Amino acid sequence: MTDTGGDQVEEAVASCAALLRAAAGHDWDGARAGRLEWSCRRTAEHIADDLIAYAGRLAARATTAYVPFQIKLDEGTGDAGVVDVIEAAGRLLSATVRTTPREVRAFHPYPFRSANRVGFAAMGVAEVLLHTHDIAEGLGLPYEPPAELCSWVLTRIFPHVRPEPDAPWSTLLWATGRGDLPGREPVTEWRWNNNLVIGTGRLTLEGVTPAAAADLRAGGTGGFEWIEGGPFEGTRDAAGMVASSYEKGLHRPEWGMFVLVRREDGLAVGAIGFHGVPDEEGRAEVGYDLAENARGRGYATEALCALAETALARDDVKLLFAAIERENAPSQRVIARAGFTRASEDVEQAARELHGLEESLRLYSREA
């Protein structure tokens, strides 16, 4: 898994340009774009504006706000000229995501205040596909982008949406309030979700998307460059849990899995995360592992402290617990250094009932 999103941006823009060039002669100004308040012409200009804005934000490494600029088309620019601008802006975004280092993040307000290069590419692709659909609907033209492109977007910035494997385009339209799916309530408000990142002194905890989880489960790298010996078996097992939760529509990114990336060299050294969302009592289970070559340096403790502090700061979390084998003394030392203590009998009993834990495991907990 090595894609940056550049190819997908170009593919999306090509599908958009083909539709718009075929629409020459239609009244772009007089036709409303689908369910939007904008005209088809205004929506086409918006596509170009989004693409160049994403490229600019990523290139500028903006971290706290939008880069204060926008494009302005020359007076008298015809519809064909607008398509030219969309294509140019798309190439700028694709070039930017291809040349931006993997670890770079830039500002985007929803939901976690930043996105990486793949996130910006996915947002750009989504803007192109969805607004091309809006224009096509307004002009009474058929439009359906490649299914693989729709799935690519869904698995990167819609991790909370249960996929319909045979209908990714319909799923994307439903998820953005543009269509219906059998058995699902209409969507009236929506946001895409870029992956959550938590920083520590030496590490970055990078939230794993469903796409990365599926790749790790299948034996790939998940898009990370790993230290020798990584990823460890536990990381692949955890990735399988994330992928399975996504397929069932149960995945929530803030309660998923995070890969531990070392700041000094950008290498992934392990993973940490949750076994699911908190229960009704506000209890959630954590787990972690490291590649063998990264052990003994305090990385697991550092990551666990950061994850615990982030989780316990929420109103819906009252207690975190971890299940550790009785013979695993190193892991018990990690959990103790992170402020966890042996779980009380009621917590241990509740956890065993909830997760079916084996009696050979010791439980440790930390309260808010």
Side-chain angles (χ1 to χ4, degrees), residues 3-300:
D3 69 82
T4 62
D7 291 346
Q8 288 77 12
V9 170
E10 291 186 357
E11 185 178 7
V13 170
S15 77
C16 169
L19 183 285
L20 296 184
R21 293 198 189 282
H26 287 71
D27 183 7
W28 291 22
D29 283 307
R32 177 176 166 178
R35 305 183 187 188
L36 304 181
E37 297 296 331
W38 297 336
S39 69
C40 290
R41 164 77 182 215
R42 173 70 186 90
T43 304
E45 293 175 352
H46 175 75
I47 292 173
D49 197 46
D50 271 340
L51 291 170
I52 195 68
Y54 289 156
R57 214 177 308 162
L58 195 55
R61 312 292 199 260
T63 58
T64 59
Y66 296 110
V67 178
F69 80 102
Q70 61 183 16
I71 58 174
K72 181 179 180 181
L73 276 64
D74 291 341
E75 186 175 349
T77 298
D79 296 339
V82 177
V83 182
D84 290 340
V85 175
I86 290 173
E87 291 180 316
R91 292 190 183 100
L92 287 171
L93 179 56
S94 66
T96 302
V97 300
R98 286 189 177 111
T99 56
T100 298
R102 193 203 61 79
E103 68 274 9
V104 168
R105 299 185 73 85
F107 175 78
H108 188 78
Y110 305 111
F112 303 123
R113 309 296 290 177
S114 71
N116 60 13
R117 63 188 183 185
V118 176
F120 275 102
M123 291 187 291
V125 171
E127 292 281 359
V128 172
L129 300 186
L130 295 169
H131 288 316
T132 302
H133 161 80
D134 297 334
I135 295 170
E137 192 173 58
L139 298 178
L141 300 173
Y143 174 71
E144 182 168 346
E148 289 186 1
L149 198 56
C150 302
S151 293
W152 187 87
V153 171
L154 287 167
T155 56
R156 283 154 179 85
I157 56 173
F158 289 90
H160 53 295
V161 173
R162 176 168 57 86
E164 291 285 348
D166 297 327
W169 178 226
S170 297
T171 304
L172 184 57
L173 292 177
W174 170 82
T176 57
R178 289 172 167 83
D180 299 319
L181 279 179
R184 302 201 200 185
E185 292 294 322
V187 172
T188 57
E189 295 183 1
W190 62 274
R191 296 286 187 193
W192 46 50
N193 280 261
N194 284 288
N195 65 324
L196 173 61
V197 168
I198 301 171
T200 75
R202 296 179 297 167
L203 303 169
T204 302
L205 281 58
E206 297 192 17
V208 172
T209 66
D215 188 63
L216 282 166
R217 178 178 62 178
T221 66
F224 298 91
E225 184 178 353
W226 288 86
I227 191 173
E228 184 179 355
F232 199 63
E233 180 181 350
T235 294
R236 296 201 186 279
D237 291 342
M241 293 171 58
V242 170
S244 178
S245 293
Y246 168 69
E247 291 159 2
K248 298 173 182 177
L250 302 176
H251 178 57
R252 298 297 176 263
E254 61 270 41
W255 299 109
M257 169 184 166
F258 299 81
V259 165
L260 280 53
V261 178
R262 199 161 55 188
R263 291 180 183 270
E264 67 181 53
D265 55 13
L267 295 180
V269 299
I272 193 168
F274 302 93
H275 289 230
V277 300
D279 65 16
E280 294 180 354
E281 301 297 324
R283 298 173 297 211
E285 182 181 0
V286 297
Y288 50 88
D289 76 355
L290 292 175
E292 289 188 16
N293 290 338
R295 295 174 185 174
R297 305 178 191 180
Y299 294 143

